[in-house]
Amino acid sequence: MAFDNLGEKLQGVFKKLRGKGRLSEADVKEAMREVRLALLEADVNFRVVKEFVSGITEKAVGNEVLEHLHPGQQVVKLVHEEMISLMGSTQSQLTFSSKPPTVYMMVGLQGAGKTTSSGKLAGLLRKQGKRPLLVACDVYRPAAIKQLQVVGNTYNIPVFEMGDKVSPVEIAEKSIAHASENGNDIVLIDTAGRLHIDDELMGELGQIRTKVRPQEILLVVDAMTGQDAVNVAATFDEKLGLDGIIVTKLDSDTRGGAVLSVKKVTGKPVKYVGMGEKMEDLEAFHPDRMASRILGMGDVLSLIDKAQQAFDEKQAAELEKKFRENSLDLEDFLTQMQQIKKMGNIKDLIGMIPGANQAALAGAEIDEKAMVHMEAIIQSMTREERKNPDILTGSRKRRIAAGSGRSVPEVNRLLKQFEEMRKMLKGFAGGGMFGKKGKKGFGKLGNLPFFN
């Protein structure tokens, strides 16, 4: 997960500050030295780090903070506010043309995830009621057109292509007419990338921009390339004029410095971040929510957004009723597991809960495969067995084990965990999600069967 190391180090610094009744100027400067090192290790641009730390130090050593009843908390508040400002203060949304189709030009170097991000963005826009069209303008990279067609098929988005013998400029121009004729109100042009920036690439992109006059030019950069991503963004903006940035593979990079640097360096906002392989893992970027995640304050709003996308409203109402009546069965258990999987990585989801022990989370072992095994076991049961697990005799358990490819002890363990889950949910209904006896510092949440 992005910012794991940075978040852990910053939270350690703040813990020391909170532990002091009063702060001296020396305390603040020592804390800011540690913050500076943590940011540099996270690959944040050094000029950005210098300005960030200087600004906080200047405000923190003022009498208002040092003489405050809780000065440590005031410093944390300052860091939180400055971090939000650094990343852009507010969410930057896509803009739409007054006359359709709205054209978005996707640019970036090879390997950044441009084609996949184009498909994911098209999928998200379709869920908002739009009718997107993907356009294959990468005629140089082997199988690039085929890749876009596969991506389009995955998200049920049509793809316009004219093969690899036609000029990308001509393809882009004709795609607009095609979109108008076929009722597509969004056009996403997947342009060619290069291993590095060159004049030929920029010249071609400039010609496409002139012909199609895009509403926005969106640069896709790879978080794992660190400061190179920021340098690429600065160059593309200088040559083309960017409207926004999509940072991919943020789930694979524990540093994430590009997200913290790029707005300050280029002046262009990060609009989306890629946090995984699924369409839902392309998330709208909220500076305030990201700052809260980094500083261990949780991110309830993003958690709610994910839940609303994943959970069927009618099913949720039925489950809520059963939840209150404590009448959940294995059929419901299976439904809940499948919906939780849609929300994303379990460890990341728990990290969004305010009050969850972030240090404990870092050391927790969460077995994602456990969910797959439990699903297989439950799906091997008859409907009657799911509704009434009490009828599961030894012979039935052996049949279920054989059908799911698991063992009888695993079947028994699932049944035991289910009963424990029902008891735990009954406790949740009365409040107290974070009790004192759960595993690994998570309270009752730590008793979930996904933890080893």
Side-chain angles (χ1 to χ4, degrees), residues 115-120 122-123 126 134-136 141-161 190 277 279:
T115 298
T116 304
S117 295
S118 298
K120 288 180 179 179
R126 183 169 59 82
L134 289 167
V135 181
R141 182 167 57 89
I145 296 172
K146 180 64 178 176
Q147 182 191 358
L148 188 65
Q149 289 173 328
V150 171
V151 169
N153 185 58
T154 300
Y155 301 119
N156 196 26
I157 308 294
V159 174
F160 179 82
E161 57 90 13
D190 181 31
E277 297 180 359
M279 180 181 72

PDB file of all heavy atoms in Angstrom, residues 115-120 122-123 126 134-136 141-161 190 277 279:
ATOM      1  N   THR A 115      -3.220   2.589 -21.390  1.00  0.00           N
ATOM      2  CA  THR A 115      -4.318   1.874 -22.049  1.00  0.00           C
ATOM      3  C   THR A 115      -5.310   1.323 -21.026  1.00  0.00           C
ATOM      4  O   THR A 115      -6.524   1.469 -21.177  1.00  0.00           O
ATOM      5  CB  THR A 115      -3.759   0.725 -22.911  1.00  0.00           C
ATOM      6  OG1 THR A 115      -2.918   1.276 -23.930  1.00  0.00           O
ATOM      7  CG2 THR A 115      -4.882  -0.066 -23.560  1.00  0.00           C
ATOM      8  N   THR A 116      -4.789   0.710 -19.965  1.00  0.00           N
ATOM      9  CA  THR A 116      -5.663   0.171 -18.915  1.00  0.00           C
ATOM     10  C   THR A 116      -6.429   1.284 -18.225  1.00  0.00           C
ATOM     11  O   THR A 116      -7.628   1.156 -17.956  1.00  0.00           O
ATOM     12  CB  THR A 116      -4.829  -0.612 -17.885  1.00  0.00           C
ATOM     13  OG1 THR A 116      -4.083  -1.629 -18.550  1.00  0.00           O
ATOM     14  CG2 THR A 116      -5.731  -1.254 -16.849  1.00  0.00           C
ATOM     15  N   SER A 117      -5.757   2.395 -17.939  1.00  0.00           N
ATOM     16  CA  SER A 117      -6.413   3.522 -17.282  1.00  0.00           C
ATOM     17  C   SER A 117      -7.501   4.119 -18.173  1.00  0.00           C
ATOM     18  O   SER A 117      -8.549   4.562 -17.674  1.00  0.00           O
ATOM     19  CB  SER A 117      -5.392   4.605 -16.911  1.00  0.00           C
ATOM     20  OG  SER A 117      -4.483   4.130 -15.943  1.00  0.00           O
ATOM     21  N   SER A 118      -7.264   4.127 -19.486  1.00  0.00           N
ATOM     22  CA  SER A 118      -8.281   4.627 -20.421  1.00  0.00           C
ATOM     23  C   SER A 118      -9.545   3.787 -20.309  1.00  0.00           C
ATOM     24  O   SER A 118     -10.664   4.325 -20.257  1.00  0.00           O
ATOM     25  CB  SER A 118      -7.749   4.589 -21.860  1.00  0.00           C
ATOM     26  OG  SER A 118      -6.622   5.418 -22.016  1.00  0.00           O
ATOM     27  N   GLY A 119      -9.360   2.463 -20.260  1.00  0.00           N
ATOM     28  CA  GLY A 119     -10.506   1.566 -20.138  1.00  0.00           C
ATOM     29  C   GLY A 119     -11.226   1.736 -18.808  1.00  0.00           C
ATOM     30  O   GLY A 119     -12.465   1.763 -18.754  1.00  0.00           O
ATOM     31  N   LYS A 120     -10.454   1.843 -17.728  1.00  0.00           N
ATOM     32  CA  LYS A 120     -11.062   2.008 -16.400  1.00  0.00           C
ATOM     33  C   LYS A 120     -11.843   3.313 -16.315  1.00  0.00           C
ATOM     34  O   LYS A 120     -12.958   3.357 -15.767  1.00  0.00           O
ATOM     35  CB  LYS A 120      -9.975   1.995 -15.319  1.00  0.00           C
ATOM     36  CG  LYS A 120      -9.353   0.627 -15.063  1.00  0.00           C
ATOM     37  CD  LYS A 120      -8.291   0.745 -13.981  1.00  0.00           C
ATOM     38  CE  LYS A 120      -7.659  -0.603 -13.671  1.00  0.00           C
ATOM     39  NZ  LYS A 120      -6.612  -0.490 -12.626  1.00  0.00           N
ATOM     40  N   ALA A 122     -13.146   4.975 -18.800  1.00  0.00           N
ATOM     41  CA  ALA A 122     -14.347   4.818 -19.631  1.00  0.00           C
ATOM     42  C   ALA A 122     -15.424   4.045 -18.870  1.00  0.00           C
ATOM     43  O   ALA A 122     -16.610   4.394 -18.918  1.00  0.00           O
ATOM     44  CB  ALA A 122     -13.997   4.097 -20.935  1.00  0.00           C
ATOM     45  N   GLY A 123     -15.000   3.005 -18.145  1.00  0.00           N
ATOM     46  CA  GLY A 123     -15.943   2.217 -17.357  1.00  0.00           C
ATOM     47  C   GLY A 123     -16.608   3.029 -16.261  1.00  0.00           C
ATOM     48  O   GLY A 123     -17.815   2.929 -16.028  1.00  0.00           O
ATOM     49  N   ARG A 126     -19.101   5.371 -17.825  1.00  0.00           N
ATOM     50  CA  ARG A 126     -20.314   4.648 -18.245  1.00  0.00           C
ATOM     51  C   ARG A 126     -21.244   4.427 -17.058  1.00  0.00           C
ATOM     52  O   ARG A 126     -22.472   4.523 -17.187  1.00  0.00           O
ATOM     53  CB  ARG A 126     -19.935   3.311 -18.890  1.00  0.00           C
ATOM     54  CG  ARG A 126     -21.140   2.538 -19.424  1.00  0.00           C
ATOM     55  CD  ARG A 126     -20.705   1.373 -20.284  1.00  0.00           C
ATOM     56  NE  ARG A 126     -19.863   0.457 -19.537  1.00  0.00           N
ATOM     57  CZ  ARG A 126     -20.324  -0.485 -18.717  1.00  0.00           C
ATOM     58  NH1 ARG A 126     -21.607  -0.626 -18.523  1.00  0.00           N
ATOM     59  NH2 ARG A 126     -19.497  -1.289 -18.091  1.00  0.00           N
ATOM     60  N   LEU A 134     -13.695   4.282 -26.865  1.00  0.00           N
ATOM     61  CA  LEU A 134     -12.238   4.223 -26.789  1.00  0.00           C
ATOM     62  C   LEU A 134     -11.669   4.268 -28.201  1.00  0.00           C
ATOM     63  O   LEU A 134     -12.216   3.637 -29.115  1.00  0.00           O
ATOM     64  CB  LEU A 134     -11.789   2.930 -26.093  1.00  0.00           C
ATOM     65  CG  LEU A 134     -12.054   2.848 -24.586  1.00  0.00           C
ATOM     66  CD1 LEU A 134     -11.871   1.419 -24.084  1.00  0.00           C
ATOM     67  CD2 LEU A 134     -11.129   3.788 -23.820  1.00  0.00           C
ATOM     68  N   VAL A 135     -10.578   5.010 -28.360  1.00  0.00           N
ATOM     69  CA  VAL A 135      -9.977   5.163 -29.689  1.00  0.00           C
ATOM     70  C   VAL A 135      -8.534   4.686 -29.663  1.00  0.00           C
ATOM     71  O   VAL A 135      -7.721   5.164 -28.864  1.00  0.00           O
ATOM     72  CB  VAL A 135     -10.037   6.650 -30.135  1.00  0.00           C
ATOM     73  CG1 VAL A 135      -9.439   6.789 -31.538  1.00  0.00           C
ATOM     74  CG2 VAL A 135     -11.467   7.151 -30.115  1.00  0.00           C
ATOM     75  N   ALA A 136      -8.205   3.755 -30.568  1.00  0.00           N
ATOM     76  CA  ALA A 136      -6.869   3.149 -30.612  1.00  0.00           C
ATOM     77  C   ALA A 136      -5.960   3.941 -31.543  1.00  0.00           C
ATOM     78  O   ALA A 136      -5.970   3.751 -32.761  1.00  0.00           O
ATOM     79  CB  ALA A 136      -6.970   1.699 -31.080  1.00  0.00           C
ATOM     80  N   ARG A 141       3.222   0.301 -31.070  1.00  0.00           N
ATOM     81  CA  ARG A 141       3.526  -0.781 -30.132  1.00  0.00           C
ATOM     82  C   ARG A 141       2.817  -2.063 -30.578  1.00  0.00           C
ATOM     83  O   ARG A 141       1.611  -2.044 -30.816  1.00  0.00           O
ATOM     84  CB  ARG A 141       3.103  -0.391 -28.719  1.00  0.00           C
ATOM     85  CG  ARG A 141       3.424  -1.428 -27.652  1.00  0.00           C
ATOM     86  CD  ARG A 141       3.258  -0.842 -26.246  1.00  0.00           C
ATOM     87  NE  ARG A 141       1.920  -0.311 -26.025  1.00  0.00           N
ATOM     88  CZ  ARG A 141       0.903  -1.035 -25.551  1.00  0.00           C
ATOM     89  NH1 ARG A 141       1.071  -2.317 -25.291  1.00  0.00           N
ATOM     90  NH2 ARG A 141      -0.279  -0.469 -25.364  1.00  0.00           N
ATOM     91  N   PRO A 142       3.547  -3.172 -30.686  1.00  0.00           N
ATOM     92  CA  PRO A 142       2.937  -4.432 -31.098  1.00  0.00           C
ATOM     93  C   PRO A 142       1.759  -4.803 -30.201  1.00  0.00           C
ATOM     94  O   PRO A 142       1.847  -4.746 -28.979  1.00  0.00           O
ATOM     95  CB  PRO A 142       4.084  -5.439 -30.944  1.00  0.00           C
ATOM     96  CG  PRO A 142       5.324  -4.633 -31.079  1.00  0.00           C
ATOM     97  CD  PRO A 142       4.996  -3.295 -30.461  1.00  0.00           C
ATOM     98  N   ALA A 143       0.656  -5.173 -30.811  1.00  0.00           N
ATOM     99  CA  ALA A 143      -0.552  -5.630 -30.118  1.00  0.00           C
ATOM    100  C   ALA A 143      -1.225  -4.563 -29.266  1.00  0.00           C
ATOM    101  O   ALA A 143      -2.089  -4.869 -28.445  1.00  0.00           O
ATOM    102  CB  ALA A 143      -0.255  -6.851 -29.258  1.00  0.00           C
ATOM    103  N   ALA A 144      -0.857  -3.278 -29.444  1.00  0.00           N
ATOM    104  CA  ALA A 144      -1.465  -2.200 -28.653  1.00  0.00           C
ATOM    105  C   ALA A 144      -2.961  -2.085 -28.946  1.00  0.00           C
ATOM    106  O   ALA A 144      -3.776  -1.882 -28.039  1.00  0.00           O
ATOM    107  CB  ALA A 144      -0.768  -0.877 -28.947  1.00  0.00           C
ATOM    108  N   ILE A 145      -3.321  -2.215 -30.235  1.00  0.00           N
ATOM    109  CA  ILE A 145      -4.736  -2.126 -30.618  1.00  0.00           C
ATOM    110  C   ILE A 145      -5.517  -3.286 -30.008  1.00  0.00           C
ATOM    111  O   ILE A 145      -6.615  -3.101 -29.464  1.00  0.00           O
ATOM    112  CB  ILE A 145      -4.888  -2.117 -32.152  1.00  0.00           C
ATOM    113  CG1 ILE A 145      -4.218  -0.858 -32.735  1.00  0.00           C
ATOM    114  CG2 ILE A 145      -6.363  -2.184 -32.552  1.00  0.00           C
ATOM    115  CD1 ILE A 145      -4.149  -0.836 -34.249  1.00  0.00           C
ATOM    116  N   LYS A 146      -4.927  -4.473 -30.076  1.00  0.00           N
ATOM    117  CA  LYS A 146      -5.582  -5.656 -29.500  1.00  0.00           C
ATOM    118  C   LYS A 146      -5.755  -5.485 -27.993  1.00  0.00           C
ATOM    119  O   LYS A 146      -6.805  -5.857 -27.439  1.00  0.00           O
ATOM    120  CB  LYS A 146      -4.732  -6.903 -29.795  1.00  0.00           C
ATOM    121  CG  LYS A 146      -5.324  -8.197 -29.242  1.00  0.00           C
ATOM    122  CD  LYS A 146      -6.656  -8.524 -29.891  1.00  0.00           C
ATOM    123  CE  LYS A 146      -7.210  -9.838 -29.374  1.00  0.00           C
ATOM    124  NZ  LYS A 146      -8.569 -10.124 -29.933  1.00  0.00           N
ATOM    125  N   GLN A 147      -4.757  -4.922 -27.334  1.00  0.00           N
ATOM    126  CA  GLN A 147      -4.856  -4.712 -25.886  1.00  0.00           C
ATOM    127  C   GLN A 147      -6.020  -3.790 -25.546  1.00  0.00           C
ATOM    128  O   GLN A 147      -6.786  -4.048 -24.608  1.00  0.00           O
ATOM    129  CB  GLN A 147      -3.562  -4.110 -25.333  1.00  0.00           C
ATOM    130  CG  GLN A 147      -3.604  -3.931 -23.804  1.00  0.00           C
ATOM    131  CD  GLN A 147      -2.447  -3.102 -23.272  1.00  0.00           C
ATOM    132  OE1 GLN A 147      -1.580  -2.673 -24.025  1.00  0.00           O
ATOM    133  NE2 GLN A 147      -2.441  -2.860 -21.963  1.00  0.00           N
ATOM    134  N   LEU A 148      -6.178  -2.714 -26.329  1.00  0.00           N
ATOM    135  CA  LEU A 148      -7.280  -1.790 -26.058  1.00  0.00           C
ATOM    136  C   LEU A 148      -8.625  -2.472 -26.307  1.00  0.00           C
ATOM    137  O   LEU A 148      -9.596  -2.234 -25.568  1.00  0.00           O
ATOM    138  CB  LEU A 148      -7.156  -0.544 -26.939  1.00  0.00           C
ATOM    139  CG  LEU A 148      -8.146   0.574 -26.606  1.00  0.00           C
ATOM    140  CD1 LEU A 148      -7.881   1.136 -25.208  1.00  0.00           C
ATOM    141  CD2 LEU A 148      -8.069   1.708 -27.634  1.00  0.00           C
ATOM    142  N   GLN A 149      -8.689  -3.337 -27.322  1.00  0.00           N
ATOM    143  CA  GLN A 149      -9.932  -4.062 -27.595  1.00  0.00           C
ATOM    144  C   GLN A 149     -10.279  -5.007 -26.443  1.00  0.00           C
ATOM    145  O   GLN A 149     -11.443  -5.133 -26.063  1.00  0.00           O
ATOM    146  CB  GLN A 149      -9.798  -4.855 -28.904  1.00  0.00           C
ATOM    147  CG  GLN A 149      -9.786  -3.965 -30.140  1.00  0.00           C
ATOM    148  CD  GLN A 149      -9.487  -4.731 -31.416  1.00  0.00           C
ATOM    149  OE1 GLN A 149      -8.740  -5.723 -31.402  1.00  0.00           O
ATOM    150  NE2 GLN A 149     -10.054  -4.291 -32.527  1.00  0.00           N
ATOM    151  N   VAL A 150      -9.259  -5.658 -25.891  1.00  0.00           N
ATOM    152  CA  VAL A 150      -9.478  -6.540 -24.740  1.00  0.00           C
ATOM    153  C   VAL A 150      -9.965  -5.737 -23.542  1.00  0.00           C
ATOM    154  O   VAL A 150     -10.909  -6.136 -22.844  1.00  0.00           O
ATOM    155  CB  VAL A 150      -8.179  -7.311 -24.380  1.00  0.00           C
ATOM    156  CG1 VAL A 150      -8.341  -8.045 -23.055  1.00  0.00           C
ATOM    157  CG2 VAL A 150      -7.825  -8.289 -25.494  1.00  0.00           C
ATOM    158  N   VAL A 151      -9.320  -4.590 -23.303  1.00  0.00           N
ATOM    159  CA  VAL A 151      -9.729  -3.716 -22.195  1.00  0.00           C
ATOM    160  C   VAL A 151     -11.161  -3.231 -22.407  1.00  0.00           C
ATOM    161  O   VAL A 151     -11.982  -3.232 -21.481  1.00  0.00           O
ATOM    162  CB  VAL A 151      -8.767  -2.507 -22.073  1.00  0.00           C
ATOM    163  CG1 VAL A 151      -9.336  -1.465 -21.120  1.00  0.00           C
ATOM    164  CG2 VAL A 151      -7.402  -2.970 -21.585  1.00  0.00           C
ATOM    165  N   GLY A 152     -11.469  -2.809 -23.639  1.00  0.00           N
ATOM    166  CA  GLY A 152     -12.813  -2.343 -23.949  1.00  0.00           C
ATOM    167  C   GLY A 152     -13.851  -3.425 -23.735  1.00  0.00           C
ATOM    168  O   GLY A 152     -14.935  -3.171 -23.177  1.00  0.00           O
ATOM    169  N   ASN A 153     -13.524  -4.633 -24.145  1.00  0.00           N
ATOM    170  CA  ASN A 153     -14.436  -5.762 -23.959  1.00  0.00           C
ATOM    171  C   ASN A 153     -14.651  -6.050 -22.470  1.00  0.00           C
ATOM    172  O   ASN A 153     -15.759  -6.383 -22.044  1.00  0.00           O
ATOM    173  CB  ASN A 153     -13.868  -7.001 -24.657  1.00  0.00           C
ATOM    174  CG  ASN A 153     -14.827  -8.179 -24.610  1.00  0.00           C
ATOM    175  OD1 ASN A 153     -15.958  -8.094 -25.071  1.00  0.00           O
ATOM    176  ND2 ASN A 153     -14.371  -9.279 -24.040  1.00  0.00           N
ATOM    177  N   THR A 154     -13.583  -5.907 -21.678  1.00  0.00           N
ATOM    178  CA  THR A 154     -13.670  -6.145 -20.236  1.00  0.00           C
ATOM    179  C   THR A 154     -14.688  -5.214 -19.584  1.00  0.00           C
ATOM    180  O   THR A 154     -15.448  -5.630 -18.707  1.00  0.00           O
ATOM    181  CB  THR A 154     -12.290  -5.940 -19.572  1.00  0.00           C
ATOM    182  OG1 THR A 154     -11.358  -6.855 -20.136  1.00  0.00           O
ATOM    183  CG2 THR A 154     -12.365  -6.151 -18.062  1.00  0.00           C
ATOM    184  N   TYR A 155     -14.695  -3.962 -20.012  1.00  0.00           N
ATOM    185  CA  TYR A 155     -15.585  -2.969 -19.401  1.00  0.00           C
ATOM    186  C   TYR A 155     -16.812  -2.663 -20.271  1.00  0.00           C
ATOM    187  O   TYR A 155     -17.536  -1.716 -19.996  1.00  0.00           O
ATOM    188  CB  TYR A 155     -14.803  -1.678 -19.120  1.00  0.00           C
ATOM    189  CG  TYR A 155     -13.629  -1.888 -18.193  1.00  0.00           C
ATOM    190  CD1 TYR A 155     -12.325  -1.627 -18.594  1.00  0.00           C
ATOM    191  CD2 TYR A 155     -13.825  -2.387 -16.902  1.00  0.00           C
ATOM    192  CE1 TYR A 155     -11.251  -1.837 -17.746  1.00  0.00           C
ATOM    193  CE2 TYR A 155     -12.753  -2.594 -16.047  1.00  0.00           C
ATOM    194  CZ  TYR A 155     -11.477  -2.321 -16.473  1.00  0.00           C
ATOM    195  OH  TYR A 155     -10.406  -2.538 -15.627  1.00  0.00           O
ATOM    196  N   ASN A 156     -16.992  -3.472 -21.338  1.00  0.00           N
ATOM    197  CA  ASN A 156     -18.152  -3.318 -22.228  1.00  0.00           C
ATOM    198  C   ASN A 156     -18.192  -1.930 -22.872  1.00  0.00           C
ATOM    199  O   ASN A 156     -19.231  -1.274 -22.929  1.00  0.00           O
ATOM    200  CB  ASN A 156     -19.457  -3.591 -21.459  1.00  0.00           C
ATOM    201  CG  ASN A 156     -20.636  -3.824 -22.390  1.00  0.00           C
ATOM    202  OD1 ASN A 156     -20.475  -4.259 -23.527  1.00  0.00           O
ATOM    203  ND2 ASN A 156     -21.841  -3.503 -21.910  1.00  0.00           N
ATOM    204  N   ILE A 157     -17.022  -1.504 -23.368  1.00  0.00           N
ATOM    205  CA  ILE A 157     -16.883  -0.194 -24.014  1.00  0.00           C
ATOM    206  C   ILE A 157     -16.482  -0.418 -25.474  1.00  0.00           C
ATOM    207  O   ILE A 157     -15.539  -1.161 -25.753  1.00  0.00           O
ATOM    208  CB  ILE A 157     -15.795   0.661 -23.323  1.00  0.00           C
ATOM    209  CG1 ILE A 157     -16.025   0.744 -21.811  1.00  0.00           C
ATOM    210  CG2 ILE A 157     -15.752   2.049 -23.949  1.00  0.00           C
ATOM    211  CD1 ILE A 157     -17.261   1.469 -21.395  1.00  0.00           C
ATOM    212  N   PRO A 158     -17.171   0.217 -26.441  1.00  0.00           N
ATOM    213  CA  PRO A 158     -16.789   0.063 -27.852  1.00  0.00           C
ATOM    214  C   PRO A 158     -15.424   0.697 -28.139  1.00  0.00           C
ATOM    215  O   PRO A 158     -15.043   1.675 -27.495  1.00  0.00           O
ATOM    216  CB  PRO A 158     -17.905   0.787 -28.603  1.00  0.00           C
ATOM    217  CG  PRO A 158     -18.469   1.763 -27.616  1.00  0.00           C
ATOM    218  CD  PRO A 158     -18.349   1.098 -26.278  1.00  0.00           C
ATOM    219  N   VAL A 159     -14.710   0.116 -29.106  1.00  0.00           N
ATOM    220  CA  VAL A 159     -13.376   0.604 -29.473  1.00  0.00           C
ATOM    221  C   VAL A 159     -13.358   0.968 -30.954  1.00  0.00           C
ATOM    222  O   VAL A 159     -13.771   0.177 -31.807  1.00  0.00           O
ATOM    223  CB  VAL A 159     -12.296  -0.462 -29.186  1.00  0.00           C
ATOM    224  CG1 VAL A 159     -10.935   0.001 -29.702  1.00  0.00           C
ATOM    225  CG2 VAL A 159     -12.223  -0.771 -27.697  1.00  0.00           C
ATOM    226  N   PHE A 160     -12.899   2.159 -31.266  1.00  0.00           N
ATOM    227  CA  PHE A 160     -12.743   2.601 -32.665  1.00  0.00           C
ATOM    228  C   PHE A 160     -11.291   2.417 -33.072  1.00  0.00           C
ATOM    229  O   PHE A 160     -10.385   2.918 -32.407  1.00  0.00           O
ATOM    230  CB  PHE A 160     -13.136   4.072 -32.812  1.00  0.00           C
ATOM    231  CG  PHE A 160     -12.986   4.605 -34.206  1.00  0.00           C
ATOM    232  CD1 PHE A 160     -13.964   4.383 -35.154  1.00  0.00           C
ATOM    233  CD2 PHE A 160     -11.847   5.312 -34.580  1.00  0.00           C
ATOM    234  CE1 PHE A 160     -13.832   4.869 -36.455  1.00  0.00           C
ATOM    235  CE2 PHE A 160     -11.692   5.804 -35.874  1.00  0.00           C
ATOM    236  CZ  PHE A 160     -12.686   5.582 -36.814  1.00  0.00           C
ATOM    237  N   GLU A 161     -11.062   1.675 -34.152  1.00  0.00           N
ATOM    238  CA  GLU A 161      -9.687   1.481 -34.642  1.00  0.00           C
ATOM    239  C   GLU A 161      -9.700   1.394 -36.166  1.00  0.00           C
ATOM    240  O   GLU A 161     -10.701   1.036 -36.776  1.00  0.00           O
ATOM    241  CB  GLU A 161      -9.068   0.225 -34.010  1.00  0.00           C
ATOM    242  CG  GLU A 161      -9.826  -1.073 -34.226  1.00  0.00           C
ATOM    243  CD  GLU A 161      -9.396  -1.807 -35.477  1.00  0.00           C
ATOM    244  OE1 GLU A 161      -8.343  -1.446 -36.052  1.00  0.00           O
ATOM    245  OE2 GLU A 161     -10.119  -2.728 -35.884  1.00  0.00           O
ATOM    246  N   ASP A 190      -6.578   6.929 -26.833  1.00  0.00           N
ATOM    247  CA  ASP A 190      -5.404   6.257 -26.270  1.00  0.00           C
ATOM    248  C   ASP A 190      -4.234   6.463 -27.234  1.00  0.00           C
ATOM    249  O   ASP A 190      -4.126   5.775 -28.243  1.00  0.00           O
ATOM    250  CB  ASP A 190      -5.700   4.766 -26.087  1.00  0.00           C
ATOM    251  CG  ASP A 190      -4.523   4.010 -25.482  1.00  0.00           C
ATOM    252  OD1 ASP A 190      -3.771   4.620 -24.697  1.00  0.00           O
ATOM    253  OD2 ASP A 190      -4.358   2.815 -25.803  1.00  0.00           O
ATOM    254  N   GLU A 277      -6.126  -3.511  -9.806  1.00  0.00           N
ATOM    255  CA  GLU A 277      -6.375  -3.941 -11.172  1.00  0.00           C
ATOM    256  C   GLU A 277      -7.822  -3.767 -11.622  1.00  0.00           C
ATOM    257  O   GLU A 277      -8.107  -3.724 -12.811  1.00  0.00           O
ATOM    258  CB  GLU A 277      -5.972  -5.415 -11.331  1.00  0.00           C
ATOM    259  CG  GLU A 277      -4.484  -5.657 -11.094  1.00  0.00           C
ATOM    260  CD  GLU A 277      -4.104  -7.108 -11.245  1.00  0.00           C
ATOM    261  OE1 GLU A 277      -5.009  -7.925 -11.519  1.00  0.00           O
ATOM    262  OE2 GLU A 277      -2.917  -7.437 -11.085  1.00  0.00           O
ATOM    263  N   MET A 279     -11.694  -2.068 -12.165  1.00  0.00           N
ATOM    264  CA  MET A 279     -12.164  -0.751 -12.578  1.00  0.00           C
ATOM    265  C   MET A 279     -12.397   0.145 -11.367  1.00  0.00           C
ATOM    266  O   MET A 279     -12.062   1.328 -11.376  1.00  0.00           O
ATOM    267  CB  MET A 279     -13.468  -0.889 -13.367  1.00  0.00           C
ATOM    268  CG  MET A 279     -14.035   0.442 -13.843  1.00  0.00           C
ATOM    269  SD  MET A 279     -15.581   0.261 -14.741  1.00  0.00           S
ATOM    270  CE  MET A 279     -16.700  -0.179 -13.393  1.00  0.00           C
TER     271      MET A 279
END
